[in-house]
Amino acid sequence: MSRSEKSWGGQRETPEVTYTEARCCRELAMMAAVWKPVLLLLHSLLLGFLSHRASADLTDGNSEHMKREHSLIKPYQGVGSSSMPLWDFMGSTMLTSQYVRLTPDERSKEGSIWNSMPCFLKDWELHIHFRIHGTGKKNLHGDGFALWYAKDRLQPGPVFGNKDKFHGLAVFVDTYPNDETTERIFPYISAMVNNGSLEYDHGKDGRTVELAGCTADVRNSNLDTFLAIRYSRGRLTIMTDVEGKNEWKNCVDISGVRLPTGYYFGATAATGDLSDNHDIISMKLYQLMVEHPPDDENIDWTKIEPSVSLLKSPKGQSD
C-alpha cells in the first residue's frame, strides 16, 4: 500500500492534501521551471566541450568540412578530364571505377596522381583509404607508395616515383627493407620534411632523414586500410586504422613543424625488381577550424620554408 492511500471499512480512499503539502508542491514546481533552462544550457555546454575535445584529437570525417576541390572520391569526377581537371595522373597510373591504381603488380613501374589546385589552408587533415596487395611472398614485394604535400607536382624521380630534394612534406609507406642490417619491421610508415636540400637514402630506407615512424601491417590485408595526416598549428600527426576496429592508432606526433600554404597534394608509387599493386581508393581533405594568435595574420604563409625546429624528435618507433 502506498503512502498516499489507506484502507477504511474495506474501501480505498485518498486523503485530502494538506495546505503545507500543496505549498511544497507549488514551490518545487516553480523551482523546476526556473532551473530547467539552466540545466539544459549546462548540458549543451558539456556536450559541446566533449565534442570539441574529441575533434581536437582527430576528426571523424564528419564534424569538419571536407574540401572537395582537394579530395579524390568515387566516382572520380574531374580526374584527368580536359574540362578543368582537379587531379592529373601520369606514368603507370590507371583509373577504374573502384580505385586509382598507381602501379600494377609488375616490375619497374612508376605512377602518380596529383591535385591540380594548390592548397591555401593553414590547418588541414587528409584521410587516405588505400590498398597494397600482390602475389609476392614475404620480402619479395615492393617498393611502396608515398603521400605528398609538395611545392612541385608531376615530377617523376627516384623517391617512390617522385623527385628527390623536394620542398614540403612526404609520408612514406615503405614495404621493402633495403637495409639488411635493420631490425625494423616492414611495412613501415615514416615522415620527412624537406626544404630542397635533403636526399632520401633508399639504401638505409630513409632513416637518415626520417622524423618519426611506425610499423603497420598494411599489405595483403583483408581489412580496409586507412591513414590520416593532420597538420595544425605546427603539429604534425599521423595515425593509422588498419585493424578493422574503426579506431585511429597513433604513429607520428611531432611539434615544431612549419609548412607553407600553396603546395599540392599527391600520391606516387614505384616498383623495381619486386612489385605490388598500389591502389588509392580515396583521399579526403578536411579544413580544420583552429584559432591562431593575432600575430599570425601578419605572416605570408606562402613564403614559409618547410622546416622542423627539433631535428631529433621523439620517434616512438621500433627499430
Side-chain angles (χ1 to χ4, degrees), residues 89-95 101-104 108-112 269:
F89 58 89
M90 65 181 301
S92 61
T93 301
M94 179 179 66
L95 183 66
R101 176 156 292 169
L102 299 175
T103 70
S108 302
K109 297 292 184 180
E110 290 183 0
S112 66

Side-chain angles (χ1 to χ4, degrees), residues 71-243:
S71 297
L72 179 68
I73 54 178
K74 299 176 187 178
Y76 308 124
Q77 295 178 347
V79 178
S81 62
S82 58
S83 60
M84 190 177 170
L86 294 176
W87 294 82
D88 296 317
F89 58 89
M90 65 181 301
S92 61
T93 301
M94 179 179 66
L95 183 66
T96 76
S97 62
Q98 298 301 315
Y99 53 82
V100 176
R101 176 156 292 169
L102 299 175
T103 70
D105 191 0
E106 300 175 9
R107 297 168 62 179
S108 302
K109 297 292 184 180
E110 290 183 0
S112 66
I113 186 164
W114 287 88
N115 193 198
S116 62
M117 299 186 65
C119 178
F120 291 98
L121 302 177
K122 294 193 292 288
D123 305 273
W124 49 264
E125 184 170 303
L126 182 65
H127 290 191
I128 306 95
H129 183 189
F130 65 95
R131 186 165 182 245
I132 303 175
H133 57 105
T135 57
K137 303 301 180 182
K138 183 177 181 181
N139 290 342
L140 293 176
H141 52 81
D143 286 325
F145 77 98
L147 298 158
W148 304 89
Y149 176 67
K151 180 179 180 180
D152 302 310
R153 67 190 196 100
L154 297 170
Q155 300 287 324
V159 185
F160 295 89
N162 193 49
K163 64 175 288 187
D164 207 346
K165 293 187 175 182
F166 62 93
H167 288 77
L169 167 70
V171 175
F172 305 116
V173 183
D174 194 349
T175 58
Y176 180 76
N178 292 286
D179 185 358
E180 296 179 355
T181 64
T182 184
E183 297 180 0
R184 180 175 293 175
I185 300 174
F186 283 71
Y188 191 82
I189 300 171
S190 63
M192 174 182 178
V193 172
N194 200 347
N195 62 1
S197 66
L198 301 176
E199 291 187 8
Y200 182 86
D201 186 352
H202 273 285
K204 294 187 179 297
D205 300 313
R207 292 176 66 180
T208 57
V209 291
E210 171 195 326
L211 294 175
C214 68
T215 296
D217 187 10
V218 296
R219 184 181 180 272
N220 277 351
S221 174
N222 294 323
L223 305 171
D224 286 329
T225 46
F226 297 90
L227 192 65
I229 306 170
R230 178 188 179 106
Y231 177 69
S232 180
R233 296 186 64 176
R235 181 180 176 185
L236 175 66
T237 308
I238 301 175
M239 303 192 82
T240 61
D241 178 4
V242 299
E243 299 176 353

Side-chain angles (χ1 to χ4, degrees), residues 51-52 54-67 123-125 127 230 285-290:
S51 175
H52 174 74
S55 65
D57 294 333
L58 205 70
T59 177
D60 59 6
N62 296 316
S63 59
E64 307 294 344
H65 182 52
M66 186 176 78
K67 308 300 288 185
D123 305 273
W124 49 264
E125 184 170 303
H127 290 191
R230 178 188 179 106
L285 186 75
Y286 298 92
Q287 180 179 7
L288 301 175
M289 309 307 293
V290 179

Side-chain angles (χ1 to χ4, degrees), residues 15-26:
E16 293 184 2
V17 178
T18 66
Y19 174 77
T20 302
E21 289 178 329
R23 181 179 178 182
C24 289
C25 290
R26 286 197 300 270

